[in-house]
PDB file of all heavy atoms in Angstrom:
ATOM      1  N   GLY A 279      30.628  23.938  38.940  1.00  0.00           N
ATOM      2  CA  GLY A 279      30.563  23.490  37.538  1.00  0.00           C
ATOM      3  C   GLY A 279      31.769  22.627  37.247  1.00  0.00           C
ATOM      4  O   GLY A 279      32.696  22.496  37.994  1.00  0.00           O
ATOM      5  N   SER A 280      31.784  21.996  36.009  1.00  0.00           N
ATOM      6  CA  SER A 280      32.947  21.402  35.510  1.00  0.00           C
ATOM      7  C   SER A 280      33.676  22.424  34.631  1.00  0.00           C
ATOM      8  O   SER A 280      33.121  23.413  34.158  1.00  0.00           O
ATOM      9  CB  SER A 280      32.555  20.205  34.635  1.00  0.00           C
ATOM     10  OG  SER A 280      31.875  19.269  35.431  1.00  0.00           O
ATOM     11  N   HIS A 281      34.976  22.167  34.398  1.00  0.00           N
ATOM     12  CA  HIS A 281      35.770  23.089  33.660  1.00  0.00           C
ATOM     13  C   HIS A 281      36.597  22.415  32.594  1.00  0.00           C
ATOM     14  O   HIS A 281      37.219  21.366  32.777  1.00  0.00           O
ATOM     15  CB  HIS A 281      36.748  23.820  34.642  1.00  0.00           C
ATOM     16  CG  HIS A 281      36.075  24.239  35.921  1.00  0.00           C
ATOM     17  ND1 HIS A 281      36.388  23.725  37.118  1.00  0.00           N
ATOM     18  CD2 HIS A 281      35.052  25.133  36.123  1.00  0.00           C
ATOM     19  CE1 HIS A 281      35.527  24.273  37.997  1.00  0.00           C
ATOM     20  NE2 HIS A 281      34.744  25.115  37.450  1.00  0.00           N
ATOM     21  N   GLY A 282      36.647  23.110  31.396  1.00  0.00           N
ATOM     22  CA  GLY A 282      37.413  22.556  30.278  1.00  0.00           C
ATOM     23  C   GLY A 282      38.870  22.482  30.658  1.00  0.00           C
ATOM     24  O   GLY A 282      39.570  21.586  30.193  1.00  0.00           O
ATOM     25  N   SER A 283      39.382  23.368  31.527  1.00  0.00           N
ATOM     26  CA  SER A 283      40.742  23.333  31.930  1.00  0.00           C
ATOM     27  C   SER A 283      41.007  22.445  33.158  1.00  0.00           C
ATOM     28  O   SER A 283      42.064  22.430  33.697  1.00  0.00           O
ATOM     29  CB  SER A 283      41.237  24.757  32.199  1.00  0.00           C
ATOM     30  OG  SER A 283      40.419  25.352  33.137  1.00  0.00           O
ATOM     31  N   GLY A 284      39.883  21.786  33.626  1.00  0.00           N
ATOM     32  CA  GLY A 284      40.046  20.966  34.812  1.00  0.00           C
ATOM     33  C   GLY A 284      41.001  19.776  34.651  1.00  0.00           C
ATOM     34  O   GLY A 284      41.257  19.368  33.530  1.00  0.00           O
ATOM     35  N   GLN A 285      41.495  19.249  35.766  1.00  0.00           N
ATOM     36  CA  GLN A 285      42.452  18.144  35.696  1.00  0.00           C
ATOM     37  C   GLN A 285      41.754  16.854  35.308  1.00  0.00           C
ATOM     38  O   GLN A 285      40.543  16.698  35.552  1.00  0.00           O
ATOM     39  CB  GLN A 285      43.175  18.005  37.024  1.00  0.00           C
ATOM     40  CG  GLN A 285      43.954  19.204  37.477  1.00  0.00           C
ATOM     41  CD  GLN A 285      45.065  19.526  36.536  1.00  0.00           C
ATOM     42  OE1 GLN A 285      45.903  18.675  36.217  1.00  0.00           O
ATOM     43  NE2 GLN A 285      45.104  20.737  36.048  1.00  0.00           N
ATOM     44  N   SER A 286      42.476  15.960  34.655  1.00  0.00           N
ATOM     45  CA  SER A 286      41.967  14.627  34.365  1.00  0.00           C
ATOM     46  C   SER A 286      41.741  13.830  35.671  1.00  0.00           C
ATOM     47  O   SER A 286      42.304  14.158  36.716  1.00  0.00           O
ATOM     48  CB  SER A 286      42.886  13.893  33.433  1.00  0.00           C
ATOM     49  OG  SER A 286      43.050  14.557  32.175  1.00  0.00           O
ATOM     50  N   LEU A 287      40.929  12.789  35.570  1.00  0.00           N
ATOM     51  CA  LEU A 287      40.606  11.975  36.687  1.00  0.00           C
ATOM     52  C   LEU A 287      41.823  11.324  37.297  1.00  0.00           C
ATOM     53  O   LEU A 287      42.631  10.720  36.575  1.00  0.00           O
ATOM     54  CB  LEU A 287      39.599  10.895  36.237  1.00  0.00           C
ATOM     55  CG  LEU A 287      39.043   9.994  37.319  1.00  0.00           C
ATOM     56  CD1 LEU A 287      38.144  10.745  38.278  1.00  0.00           C
ATOM     57  CD2 LEU A 287      38.258   8.823  36.671  1.00  0.00           C
ATOM     58  N   THR A 288      41.967  11.466  38.586  1.00  0.00           N
ATOM     59  CA  THR A 288      43.065  10.797  39.320  1.00  0.00           C
ATOM     60  C   THR A 288      42.537   9.553  39.907  1.00  0.00           C
ATOM     61  O   THR A 288      41.328   9.380  40.070  1.00  0.00           O
ATOM     62  CB  THR A 288      43.675  11.696  40.390  1.00  0.00           C
ATOM     63  OG1 THR A 288      42.625  11.885  41.439  1.00  0.00           O
ATOM     64  CG2 THR A 288      44.094  13.069  39.838  1.00  0.00           C
ATOM     65  N   TRP A 289      43.455   8.666  40.350  1.00  0.00           N
ATOM     66  CA  TRP A 289      43.015   7.435  40.936  1.00  0.00           C
ATOM     67  C   TRP A 289      42.293   7.688  42.262  1.00  0.00           C
ATOM     68  O   TRP A 289      41.306   6.972  42.630  1.00  0.00           O
ATOM     69  CB  TRP A 289      44.254   6.470  41.192  1.00  0.00           C
ATOM     70  CG  TRP A 289      43.912   5.301  42.087  1.00  0.00           C
ATOM     71  CD1 TRP A 289      44.451   4.987  43.283  1.00  0.00           C
ATOM     72  CD2 TRP A 289      42.906   4.315  41.772  1.00  0.00           C
ATOM     73  NE1 TRP A 289      43.861   3.841  43.774  1.00  0.00           N
ATOM     74  CE2 TRP A 289      42.938   3.418  42.888  1.00  0.00           C
ATOM     75  CE3 TRP A 289      41.982   4.060  40.750  1.00  0.00           C
ATOM     76  CZ2 TRP A 289      42.081   2.295  42.976  1.00  0.00           C
ATOM     77  CZ3 TRP A 289      41.203   2.990  40.838  1.00  0.00           C
ATOM     78  CH2 TRP A 289      41.233   2.112  41.943  1.00  0.00           C
ATOM     79  N   GLU A 290      42.765   8.622  43.052  1.00  0.00           N
ATOM     80  CA  GLU A 290      42.131   8.921  44.344  1.00  0.00           C
ATOM     81  C   GLU A 290      40.745   9.417  44.134  1.00  0.00           C
ATOM     82  O   GLU A 290      39.812   9.029  44.861  1.00  0.00           O
ATOM     83  CB  GLU A 290      42.937   9.989  45.070  1.00  0.00           C
ATOM     84  CG  GLU A 290      44.262   9.505  45.664  1.00  0.00           C
ATOM     85  CD  GLU A 290      44.014   8.318  46.654  1.00  0.00           C
ATOM     86  OE1 GLU A 290      43.076   8.422  47.508  1.00  0.00           O
ATOM     87  OE2 GLU A 290      44.751   7.363  46.552  1.00  0.00           O
ATOM     88  N   GLU A 291      40.463  10.303  43.139  1.00  0.00           N
ATOM     89  CA  GLU A 291      39.132  10.715  42.840  1.00  0.00           C
ATOM     90  C   GLU A 291      38.243   9.602  42.371  1.00  0.00           C
ATOM     91  O   GLU A 291      37.093   9.503  42.746  1.00  0.00           O
ATOM     92  CB  GLU A 291      39.183  11.900  41.775  1.00  0.00           C
ATOM     93  CG  GLU A 291      39.739  13.195  42.222  1.00  0.00           C
ATOM     94  CD  GLU A 291      39.859  14.200  41.103  1.00  0.00           C
ATOM     95  OE1 GLU A 291      40.156  13.794  39.987  1.00  0.00           O
ATOM     96  OE2 GLU A 291      39.671  15.396  41.382  1.00  0.00           O
ATOM     97  N   ALA A 292      38.827   8.754  41.493  1.00  0.00           N
ATOM     98  CA  ALA A 292      38.035   7.606  40.996  1.00  0.00           C
ATOM     99  C   ALA A 292      37.661   6.735  42.167  1.00  0.00           C
ATOM    100  O   ALA A 292      36.499   6.257  42.228  1.00  0.00           O
ATOM    101  CB  ALA A 292      38.856   6.899  39.944  1.00  0.00           C
ATOM    102  N   LYS A 293      38.606   6.439  42.994  1.00  0.00           N
ATOM    103  CA  LYS A 293      38.311   5.524  44.141  1.00  0.00           C
ATOM    104  C   LYS A 293      37.248   6.063  45.055  1.00  0.00           C
ATOM    105  O   LYS A 293      36.364   5.344  45.443  1.00  0.00           O
ATOM    106  CB  LYS A 293      39.628   5.241  44.888  1.00  0.00           C
ATOM    107  CG  LYS A 293      39.486   4.167  45.980  1.00  0.00           C
ATOM    108  CD  LYS A 293      40.824   3.695  46.515  1.00  0.00           C
ATOM    109  CE  LYS A 293      41.529   4.837  47.229  1.00  0.00           C
ATOM    110  NZ  LYS A 293      42.789   4.341  47.865  1.00  0.00           N
ATOM    111  N   SER A 294      37.402   7.347  45.435  1.00  0.00           N
ATOM    112  CA  SER A 294      36.435   7.923  46.318  1.00  0.00           C
ATOM    113  C   SER A 294      35.018   7.994  45.666  1.00  0.00           C
ATOM    114  O   SER A 294      33.962   7.835  46.356  1.00  0.00           O
ATOM    115  CB  SER A 294      36.919   9.349  46.765  1.00  0.00           C
ATOM    116  OG  SER A 294      36.875  10.240  45.610  1.00  0.00           O
ATOM    117  N   THR A 295      34.938   8.273  44.372  1.00  0.00           N
ATOM    118  CA  THR A 295      33.663   8.272  43.664  1.00  0.00           C
ATOM    119  C   THR A 295      33.001   6.913  43.590  1.00  0.00           C
ATOM    120  O   THR A 295      31.847   6.783  43.874  1.00  0.00           O
ATOM    121  CB  THR A 295      33.871   8.868  42.230  1.00  0.00           C
ATOM    122  OG1 THR A 295      34.431  10.182  42.308  1.00  0.00           O
ATOM    123  CG2 THR A 295      32.516   8.966  41.528  1.00  0.00           C
ATOM    124  N   ILE A 296      33.833   5.889  43.285  1.00  0.00           N
ATOM    125  CA  ILE A 296      33.335   4.558  43.153  1.00  0.00           C
ATOM    126  C   ILE A 296      32.921   3.996  44.481  1.00  0.00           C
ATOM    127  O   ILE A 296      31.889   3.271  44.578  1.00  0.00           O
ATOM    128  CB  ILE A 296      34.402   3.583  42.558  1.00  0.00           C
ATOM    129  CG1 ILE A 296      34.608   4.066  41.023  1.00  0.00           C
ATOM    130  CG2 ILE A 296      33.979   2.169  42.598  1.00  0.00           C
ATOM    131  CD1 ILE A 296      35.820   3.373  40.413  1.00  0.00           C
ATOM    132  N   LEU A 297      33.584   4.332  45.551  1.00  0.00           N
ATOM    133  CA  LEU A 297      33.262   3.738  46.931  1.00  0.00           C
ATOM    134  C   LEU A 297      32.340   4.510  47.732  1.00  0.00           C
ATOM    135  O   LEU A 297      31.949   3.999  48.814  1.00  0.00           O
ATOM    136  CB  LEU A 297      34.645   3.598  47.639  1.00  0.00           C
ATOM    137  CG  LEU A 297      35.639   2.607  47.051  1.00  0.00           C
ATOM    138  CD1 LEU A 297      36.931   2.581  47.909  1.00  0.00           C
ATOM    139  CD2 LEU A 297      35.097   1.276  46.843  1.00  0.00           C
ATOM    140  N   GLU A 298      31.830   5.633  47.301  1.00  0.00           N
ATOM    141  CA  GLU A 298      30.911   6.408  48.080  1.00  0.00           C
ATOM    142  C   GLU A 298      29.507   5.813  48.021  1.00  0.00           C
ATOM    143  O   GLU A 298      28.886   5.821  46.974  1.00  0.00           O
ATOM    144  CB  GLU A 298      30.872   7.900  47.640  1.00  0.00           C
ATOM    145  CG  GLU A 298      30.083   8.783  48.616  1.00  0.00           C
ATOM    146  CD  GLU A 298      30.458  10.237  48.476  1.00  0.00           C
ATOM    147  OE1 GLU A 298      31.278  10.588  47.551  1.00  0.00           O
ATOM    148  OE2 GLU A 298      29.956  11.047  49.203  1.00  0.00           O
ATOM    149  N   TRP A 299      29.012   5.288  49.154  1.00  0.00           N
ATOM    150  CA  TRP A 299      27.782   4.477  49.167  1.00  0.00           C
ATOM    151  C   TRP A 299      26.546   5.313  48.781  1.00  0.00           C
ATOM    152  O   TRP A 299      25.666   4.757  48.108  1.00  0.00           O
ATOM    153  CB  TRP A 299      27.552   3.869  50.495  1.00  0.00           C
ATOM    154  CG  TRP A 299      27.188   4.827  51.593  1.00  0.00           C
ATOM    155  CD1 TRP A 299      27.941   5.518  52.473  1.00  0.00           C
ATOM    156  CD2 TRP A 299      25.780   5.274  51.890  1.00  0.00           C
ATOM    157  NE1 TRP A 299      27.185   6.309  53.260  1.00  0.00           N
ATOM    158  CE2 TRP A 299      25.872   6.189  52.942  1.00  0.00           C
ATOM    159  CE3 TRP A 299      24.527   4.945  51.339  1.00  0.00           C
ATOM    160  CZ2 TRP A 299      24.705   6.815  53.480  1.00  0.00           C
ATOM    161  CZ3 TRP A 299      23.447   5.589  51.856  1.00  0.00           C
ATOM    162  CH2 TRP A 299      23.542   6.503  52.937  1.00  0.00           C
ATOM    163  N   ARG A 300      26.517   6.572  49.086  1.00  0.00           N
ATOM    164  CA  ARG A 300      25.299   7.400  48.796  1.00  0.00           C
ATOM    165  C   ARG A 300      25.131   7.497  47.256  1.00  0.00           C
ATOM    166  O   ARG A 300      23.996   7.570  46.769  1.00  0.00           O
ATOM    167  CB  ARG A 300      25.386   8.786  49.449  1.00  0.00           C
ATOM    168  CG  ARG A 300      26.400   9.701  48.860  1.00  0.00           C
ATOM    169  CD  ARG A 300      26.398  11.056  49.513  1.00  0.00           C
ATOM    170  NE  ARG A 300      27.456  11.888  48.967  1.00  0.00           N
ATOM    171  CZ  ARG A 300      27.351  12.610  47.863  1.00  0.00           C
ATOM    172  NH1 ARG A 300      26.209  12.641  47.163  1.00  0.00           N
ATOM    173  NH2 ARG A 300      28.341  13.366  47.393  1.00  0.00           N
ATOM    174  N   LEU A 301      26.236   7.547  46.518  1.00  0.00           N
ATOM    175  CA  LEU A 301      26.131   7.598  45.063  1.00  0.00           C
ATOM    176  C   LEU A 301      25.520   6.317  44.507  1.00  0.00           C
ATOM    177  O   LEU A 301      24.792   6.301  43.490  1.00  0.00           O
ATOM    178  CB  LEU A 301      27.487   7.845  44.443  1.00  0.00           C
ATOM    179  CG  LEU A 301      28.129   9.217  44.801  1.00  0.00           C
ATOM    180  CD1 LEU A 301      29.463   9.365  44.083  1.00  0.00           C
ATOM    181  CD2 LEU A 301      27.231  10.400  44.409  1.00  0.00           C
ATOM    182  N   TRP A 302      25.828   5.186  45.141  1.00  0.00           N
ATOM    183  CA  TRP A 302      25.233   3.904  44.726  1.00  0.00           C
ATOM    184  C   TRP A 302      23.758   3.852  44.935  1.00  0.00           C
ATOM    185  O   TRP A 302      23.032   3.186  44.194  1.00  0.00           O
ATOM    186  CB  TRP A 302      25.921   2.739  45.373  1.00  0.00           C
ATOM    187  CG  TRP A 302      27.282   2.473  44.736  1.00  0.00           C
ATOM    188  CD1 TRP A 302      28.506   2.972  45.116  1.00  0.00           C
ATOM    189  CD2 TRP A 302      27.502   1.747  43.563  1.00  0.00           C
ATOM    190  NE1 TRP A 302      29.477   2.559  44.227  1.00  0.00           N
ATOM    191  CE2 TRP A 302      28.890   1.817  43.297  1.00  0.00           C
ATOM    192  CE3 TRP A 302      26.694   1.018  42.692  1.00  0.00           C
ATOM    193  CZ2 TRP A 302      29.462   1.196  42.204  1.00  0.00           C
ATOM    194  CZ3 TRP A 302      27.238   0.408  41.580  1.00  0.00           C
ATOM    195  CH2 TRP A 302      28.656   0.521  41.368  1.00  0.00           C
TER     196      TRP A 302
END
Side-chain angles (χ1 to χ4, degrees):
S280 299
H281 315 114
S283 55
Q285 299 298 306
S286 297
L287 183 69
T288 66
W289 168 242
E290 287 302 315
E291 288 175 328
K293 186 167 67 173
S294 65
T295 302
I296 292 170
L297 297 180
E298 190 160 2
W299 72 267
R300 68 178 178 86
L301 296 181
W302 282 94

